[in-house]
Amino acid sequence: MTEAEFLALLSPLEAYLFRMALAITGNSHDAQDALQEAVLSAYVARDQLRDKQYFKAWIKTIVAHQCGRAIRGRGRVVPMGRGEEFSQDSARADQGLIWNLVEELPQSHAQIIILRYAADLKQAEIAEILDVPVGTVKSRLHYGLKRLRAQIEGKEGGKNEMPGC
């Protein structure tokens, strides 16, 4: 793959990859660093990609792995930014509210929801990034969504208590 082909495939994905890195790392500085390292790694290895139709999945995996290394490098904590950072491209105003509610969840549940829905990662990718079993990811996602649903229903229905999960 030539440099021009690589850049042509990368260009339309830049904003998506940054949002993904931001969702994983939790802050724009770490996201930019991880993304830069991932793009450099992908560029160097660009000839290993045999079929260009898989470029998005390939680069997404490289970015996810680089972000995982960044997280492990600073400890196993995934800091979480404001919900607005993750919903900049959103046309729906209530998404900011939802991300704010996600931030109110226990961190173990919130980070899984952010990685799954803001970064659009699969459960296996999340498990690899966080260095936990896939079953743990599934469980935390289930209970996190259950608590989020309870919070949303509580806000709409005027309920103030959240059931324990």
Side-chain angles (χ1 to χ4, degrees), residues 17-134:
L17 293 172
F18 177 73
R19 285 191 310 271
M20 181 180 133
L22 180 62
I24 295 170
T25 62
N27 67 64
S28 60
H29 178 66
D30 288 344
Q32 288 172 344
D33 286 349
L35 186 56
Q36 184 176 3
E37 288 292 325
V39 169
L40 179 60
S41 295
Y43 178 78
V44 169
R46 70 187 183 277
D47 291 328
Q48 294 177 7
L49 181 65
R50 295 182 191 158
D51 192 343
K52 294 174 190 167
Q53 81 180 38
Y54 299 112
F55 182 81
K56 182 177 180 180
W58 180 72
I59 191 81
K60 187 172 118 174
T61 301
I62 293 171
V63 170
H65 285 241
Q66 185 60 42
C67 290
R69 281 192 285 279
I71 290 169
R72 284 189 295 277
R74 69 171 185 240
R76 290 185 55 172
V77 176
V78 177
M80 299 190 338
R82 298 285 310 148
E84 297 85 42
E85 291 179 285
F86 302 115
S87 60
Q88 288 176 350
D89 295 338
S90 170
R92 296 176 53 196
D94 60 346
Q95 279 192 344
L97 172 64
I98 290 172
W99 288 117
N100 288 336
L101 291 174
V102 168
E103 289 181 0
E104 293 176 12
L105 295 173
Q107 185 178 7
S108 62
H109 294 153
Q111 70 184 13
I112 299 291
I113 291 172
I114 289 170
L115 293 172
R116 176 64 189 102
Y117 296 105
D120 193 31
L121 298 176
K122 295 181 175 138
Q123 292 174 353
E125 293 170 318
I126 296 169
E128 187 174 335
I129 289 168
L130 298 178
D131 195 26
V132 297
V134 175

Side-chain angles (χ1 to χ4, degrees), residues 4-17:
E5 291 172 322
F6 179 83
L7 293 173
L9 292 170
L10 179 65
S11 183
L13 299 175
E14 286 181 33
Y16 166 78
L17 293 172

